[in-house]
Amino acid sequence: MTEKPTFYITTPIYYPSDKLHIGHAYTTVAADAMTRYKRQRGYDAYFLTGTDEHGLKIQQRAAEAGQPPQEFVDGIVAGIKQLWQLLNIDYSDFIRTTESRHEQVVQRLFQKIYDQGDIYKSEYSGWYCMPCETFFTEHQLAEGHVCPDCGRPVQLAQEESYFFKMSKYADQWLKFIEDNPDFIQPDTRRNEMINFVKQGLEDLCVSRTTFDWGIKVPFDSKHVVYVWFDALVNYISALGVDSDDDSKYQKYWPADVHLMAKDIIRFHSIIWPIILMAAGLPLPKKVVAHGWLLMQDGKMSKSKGNVVDPVVLAEKYGVDAIRFFLLREMAYGMDANYSEEALVNCINIDLANDYGNLLSRTTAMIEKFLGGEVAPGSEGTEFDAVLWELAAQTPANMAKYMDKLDIANAIAEIWKLVGKANKYIDDTAPWALNKNGETEKLKTVMYNLAEVLRQVTILISPVMPNVAAKVWQQLGLDAATAGQDWEALAWGGFPAGTKIQRGEALFPRIDWEKQLAEENEGAAEESAAAEEPMAEIAPIKPEISIEDFERIDLRVCQVVACEKVKKADKLLQLTVKLGNEERTVVSGIAQYYQPDELVGRQVVLVANLKPAKLRGIESRGMILAASDGDKLQVLQVPAEILPGSIVR
Ligand code: MSP
């Protein structure tokens, strides 16, 4: 027997969050549908997902919850697995970065790259976005001195770190992309990545010392491995690379597809391949980025907030409908707007009107006109050939899109056949054939419709895995008689002589206006209290001792001069006076203050902060300011306190 071809697909591994939303679910649903599709086509498909559990953010959230980090993540991961089960996600393996099978591989890889001289120790100074776990240089920050990816405030990071010599591999990477033009998909993303690398690839900071919830650097236990270096390795650690049993690695690596949203394409298409190049391992075949599912912004009331929770949606509308909507709605590589109304429209139009109606009209007529029996007649109609032709072409038309992970267009191809079958009912008018006693033609028409329904159901079942069983029941079939794989798609597979069994509507229509009115009534009492403005509270950082705090020297100082830093939108250069001493401080507050406004004010300075060079100017200390995201105010001290005084 010949071995089946393999197909290895991955999703990103998720940060443990008990609030995974419908956008997160998109990637797993898409990867699951791809896996099921490949299995239908005879592949040995392997689907990996998991969780990305290290890093400062998790350490802080665990501290906030009063739990050890491991215990904290264990609870959340259990919830994530439940969510995937609910959404019918049939993954082959679930990797957690806190498992020893993963940690060992990360450490060995780090050691290997260090031993060959591609990881070296140096000093990191720059900006860090904790929610994104990403380092940025000053000029990469967005307006307002915030993270260019998520728009949240960044922190100054200045510490001894290990660096990975990414720069050394830039040419090799560019050559690889030139030789493998389909590696990064869609093309727009590939061009972005090429431009990014051509602008000059900097070495990557790959270790941290300011927290310890991570994988220890094997030769320097003061350091933990940077979360992204740690996380990316999951794609091979889960396969047992370099372990006693590496059979899965041998079988499935290199991955056929790493699937993710566009925000993390840089990590997957540049950093990850370069790690693999340095390690001398084969590169994945494709990295595919889909767009974002954008949530309705504006104020979210508690009840509205629940609407984007996949658990609530699945309970309300059914898992298959949610999966179908997600995959149908998000055009390849593009963003899509989420709204519950769009979901309801999709259920009403695509599922209830088109597909559900095709089933109910067909079964109703078979029952009424033919006593419930499906069998082709000896005569046909002039409309048959067109229907057969489209049915014969649809699998290939669909596969063309599916194979490049354009699931929305693949579904659209199946729906062309659904549409054609509905039109075929109108064209052939079975009620008229019945009335005129044209029974042989009538039998053929009804057989053709039942057969199209069988084909459509097989084709759509990777997207809606539960729907087939319901349709088979109504058509008098089961998985074995209907067939499940592509081989079963040959025309005429519907067993002649089958007795159908009409059932309830596959997807009942939803009265959106009525539902909305009922929900609004219930939510009306959710009162003004919830509307009160409040700053989003960032998690409280882990406890420190009073000695730790005393290491920070805070001083009152007076701003004696202030000017904009040339060619930097966000920076002001301040001259501040503390007692007899004057010093220069560069601060990212130009967005909020005109230079003149600050002169004469008494502000608070972190006086013993290690000096840093910003735009070539040495900044000695940092001015304290409070920000709630949109607004920013520097902290001020009244004039009766003399400059140089200690703040405690
Ligand atoms: N832990 C990293 C990934 C490491 S992979 C080596 C991470 N995790 S995440 O939980 O923040 O997001 C994981 C993935 O969820 C995103 O890449 C994306 O695939 C998906 N999405 C999160 N929000 C999304 C939308 N609003 N829309 C579509 N996909 C979204 O990043």
Side-chain angles (χ1 to χ4, degrees), residues 62-330:
E64 206 184 320
Q67 280 179 303
Q70 187 66 56
E71 204 177 289
F72 175 72
V73 288
D74 286 350
I76 297 179
V77 170
I80 292 178
K81 286 186 173 175
Q82 267 172 14
L83 174 64
W84 296 153
Q85 199 179 0
L86 174 77
L87 294 179
N88 232 326
I89 306 295
D90 186 17
Y91 51 76
S92 312
D93 195 2
F94 189 103
I95 179 93
R96 300 182 54 182
T97 53
T98 50
E99 287 176 77
S100 67
R101 63 171 171 153
H102 172 75
E103 298 191 340
Q104 282 172 11
V105 175
V106 172
Q107 286 189 323
R108 265 187 247 135
L109 204 68
F110 203 96
Q111 181 81 55
K112 177 179 171 14
I113 299 177
Y114 175 74
D115 289 346
Q116 74 195 33
D118 284 345
I119 286 179
Y120 62 93
K121 198 186 223 171
S122 183
E123 169 90 3
Y124 181 79
S125 172
W127 300 94
Y128 194 70
C129 173
M130 196 170 59
C132 297
E133 304 277 18
T134 308
F135 295 100
F136 295 105
T137 56
E138 179 73 29
H139 76 270
Q140 287 173 326
L141 296 179
E143 238 174 69
H145 215 254
V146 293
C147 170
D149 289 343
C150 72
R152 281 177 279 205
V154 288
Q155 298 160 350
L156 190 65
Q158 212 163 18
E159 61 194 74
E160 173 192 289
S161 292
Y162 285 94
F163 282 78
F164 172 41
K165 275 190 196 163
M166 297 262 292
S167 52
K168 177 177 152 187
Y169 291 91
D171 289 343
Q172 198 178 328
W173 184 90
L174 285 165
K175 168 93 176 56
F176 173 79
I177 298 297
E178 204 181 302
D179 294 344
N180 298 274
D182 291 340
F183 177 70
I184 304 171
Q185 288 296 312
D187 293 348
T188 45
R189 301 279 162 236
R190 182 192 52 222
N191 297 337
E192 272 172 30
M193 295 301 111
I194 293 174
N195 288 340
F196 184 87
V197 172
K198 282 190 172 163
Q199 274 169 21
L201 204 51
E202 285 175 18
D203 290 348
L204 179 72
C205 174
V206 284
S207 79
R208 306 292 312 266
T209 52
T210 45
F211 61 91
D212 61 4
W213 178 240
I215 300 176
K216 294 225 175 317
V217 168
F219 45 85
D220 191 344
S221 60
K222 210 166 74 199
H223 290 251
V224 293
V225 176
Y226 170 47
V227 274
W228 272 99
F229 190 105
D230 165 352
L232 288 161
V233 172
N234 90 87
Y235 302 129
I236 52 174
S237 66
L239 297 179
V241 64
D242 213 7
S243 72
D244 294 344
D245 177 7
D246 72 349
S247 54
K248 284 202 187 101
Y249 174 78
Q250 295 300 344
K251 188 167 185 185
Y252 296 111
W253 190 257
D256 292 271
V257 182
H258 289 315
L259 180 65
M260 76 219 63
K262 60 184 183 182
D263 51 335
I264 55 175
I265 184 86
R266 190 161 56 86
F267 296 94
H268 284 80
S269 65
I270 301 176
I271 299 179
W272 177 225
I274 292 182
I275 293 175
L276 290 165
M277 280 175 188
L281 296 172
L283 270 49
K285 293 180 201 157
K286 226 175 231 179
V287 175
V288 178
H290 58 73
W292 284 328
L293 192 66
L294 300 173
M295 306 299 159
Q296 276 173 319
D297 52 355
K299 243 175 258 148
M300 283 230 175
S301 72
K302 204 169 132 212
S303 57
K304 264 193 196 161
N306 284 345
V307 164
V308 291
D309 177 345
V311 177
V312 175
L313 283 186
E315 274 164 14
K316 203 161 161 188
Y317 300 110
V319 170
D320 273 348
I322 307 299
R323 289 177 56 120
F324 180 89
F325 166 72
L326 287 174
L327 300 181
R328 173 94 162 112
E329 198 69 9
M330 186 102 97

Side-chain angles (χ1 to χ4, degrees), residues 331-344:
Y332 184 60
M334 312 285 277
D335 292 342
N337 285 312
Y338 170 81
S339 78
E340 191 169 347
E341 189 173 359
L343 165 61
V344 167

